[in-house]
Amino acid sequence: MSHEEAVAWLTRARSNLLLGKSGMGPGILLEDLCFSLQQACEKAIKAVLIDAGLPVPRVHALGLLLQDVEAARPIPDHVARAVELT
């Protein structure tokens, strides 16, 4: 995969982040906001994997994805806490 594909994944991650940060309002379910934030994390992690030239597994578990990233580079503690969103 290419750097351009990593950028595309980050673009989608930012979109999910904005959706998740939109906050509660009439007709908006908390679980949908949480799902958008989980998706933002997942897509950002997959962008890192792509940029590092690592394979991107077809999983949604953030802990598993972060383990793959950790094989290539250190993960800050605040990023590692994203596993709570799975």
Side-chain angles (χ1 to χ4, degrees):
M1 292 194 197
S2 67
H3 178 73
E4 290 78 23
E5 287 172 293
V7 170
W9 277 92
L10 277 179
T11 299
R12 292 195 168 277
R14 284 187 190 105
S15 176
N16 283 122
L17 180 61
L18 290 171
L19 286 169
K21 290 174 70 174
S22 67
M24 294 298 294
I28 297 176
L29 301 174
L30 178 60
E31 63 194 50
D32 291 337
L33 294 176
C34 292
F35 178 75
S36 289
L37 293 172
Q38 186 279 339
Q39 285 291 290
C41 291
E42 181 181 331
K43 291 171 185 174
I45 294 167
K46 288 181 177 182
V48 171
L49 289 170
I50 291 167
D51 198 54
L54 297 170
V56 178
R58 295 182 64 119
V59 298
H60 304 290
L62 299 179
L64 294 175
L65 293 169
L66 286 171
Q67 285 176 0
D68 290 347
V69 170
E70 200 165 32
R73 53 184 69 156
I75 298 172
D77 289 338
H78 69 280
V79 174
R81 289 195 319 257
V83 299
E84 299 170 17
L85 294 170
T86 295

